[in-house]
Amino acid sequence: MGSLDGKVALVTGAGQGVGRGIALALAAEGAAIAALGRTEEKLITVCEELRARGARAEPFVLDVLDTARIPAMVDAVAERLGGIDILVNNAYSGSYGPLLSMSDADFEKGFRSGPFAALALMKACHPYLKRNGGGSVINLVTSAMVRWDLRGYGAYAAAKVALRSLTRTAAGEWGRDGIRVNAIAPHATSPAYEGWQAQNPEEAEEFVASIPLGYVGDCEQDIGRAVVMLCGPDARYLTGATVPLDGGQANFD
């Protein structure tokens, strides 16, 4: 038996990378997966992979920038899968680069796809998470929030700092509802990381060298398994925390 048997997990950005890894790990512990994302083909592929492992999985096409569609989509997920016990806010479509070269629209996009979308999903999922003794929310933030040198990452970090604040707020306000809300700040071998690594090999080598454990995390085994722990009974007294899944690189003190 798995630690998440009978649970339903809604994972955004589940079509690839960290979202896919989290979905695979949650499913391995018995959770049914609602895989949300923009690209139907990727979602179908991931759901087929999950079903091949014996999990129940359904794809739901949604761009989280379209926050007006979120409440109806959440209701559709709950109706098809029988509820929602876990919400993973992984999707993000933000912008990177120097502040002076960034348009207002690009800056705002990071907030709309990050804290605005996450809050809409959290509010829509709240009544479902509250049932059956409470549920769990995992918001993905970044260790860039605590870097001294934020050149090129200012807009990204700003959006993620806002999401971290929402995590702490919801943890305080929803604890009596039995809902735990935590954040993770992962380093993972996602397609985005691999693309950056290919374009910046010397910087990537220095980056990996700065990680005490000496490698970038695997999306399923290092990030997904940690999410399983955070959503499961072993972490039942943990809420409002930001867990740095980065091999010991960042200092969140």
Side-chain angles (χ1 to χ4, degrees):
M1 294 182 63
S3 63
L4 301 176
D5 282 348
K7 303 294 186 181
V8 176
L10 188 163
V11 182
T12 69
Q16 64 182 14
V18 175
R20 170 184 169 274
I22 292 173
L24 290 170
L26 292 171
E29 288 297 323
I33 304 297
L36 270 67
R38 294 178 298 181
T39 307
E40 185 175 24
E41 183 179 355
K42 291 180 180 180
L43 297 175
I44 290 173
T45 298
V46 168
C47 286
E48 289 174 348
E49 186 177 7
L50 290 164
R51 291 167 187 155
R53 295 189 182 191
R56 185 181 180 193
E58 297 290 342
F60 295 86
V61 178
L62 175 72
D63 186 339
V64 296
L65 287 166
D66 190 0
T67 53
R69 289 190 57 217
I70 285 176
M73 180 63 71
V74 166
D75 288 341
V77 168
E79 181 177 358
R80 189 177 305 181
L81 294 177
I84 299 170
D85 305 284
I86 297 166
L87 167 64
V88 179
N89 281 311
N90 165 66
Y92 175 78
S93 300
S95 301
Y96 305 87
L99 297 179
L100 287 177
S101 64
M102 185 171 297
S103 69
D104 289 348
D106 284 342
F107 185 78
E108 291 170 4
K109 184 179 180 183
F111 279 83
R112 291 194 297 114
S113 66
F116 277 80
L119 179 59
L121 281 154
M122 289 162 63
K123 290 169 66 176
C125 287
H126 179 274
Y128 300 106
L129 295 168
K130 186 177 177 180
R131 297 175 186 174
N132 301 321
S136 181
V137 178
I138 304 295
N139 292 324
L140 272 74
V141 293
T142 175
S143 61
M145 298 183 304
V146 296
R147 289 178 59 165
W148 284 109
D149 183 359
L150 275 170
R151 285 176 293 180
Y153 295 95
Y156 174 56
K160 293 297 187 175
V161 166
L163 183 53
R164 188 185 186 193
S165 296
L166 283 177
T167 300
R168 286 285 302 169
T169 303
E173 293 181 353
W174 298 355
R176 296 301 175 92
D177 296 328
I179 300 171
R180 295 185 299 107
V181 189
N182 292 294
I184 62 170
H187 289 338
T189 52
S190 65
Y193 170 79
E194 291 170 349
W196 172 80
Q197 182 184 43
Q199 294 179 3
N200 306 276
E202 293 183 3
E203 186 178 351
E205 185 176 351
E206 293 177 0
F207 174 75
V208 175
S210 71
I211 300 174
L213 290 183
Y215 71 98
V216 177
D218 178 81
C219 291
E220 180 180 358
Q221 296 302 319
D222 294 311
I223 310 306
R225 292 301 306 173
V227 171
V228 167
M229 182 275 293
L230 290 171
C231 294
D234 289 342
R236 71 176 195 171
Y237 201 54
L238 180 66
T239 192
T242 297
V243 180
L245 301 178
D246 60 3
Q249 185 194 56
N251 180 7
F252 277 81
D253 294 339

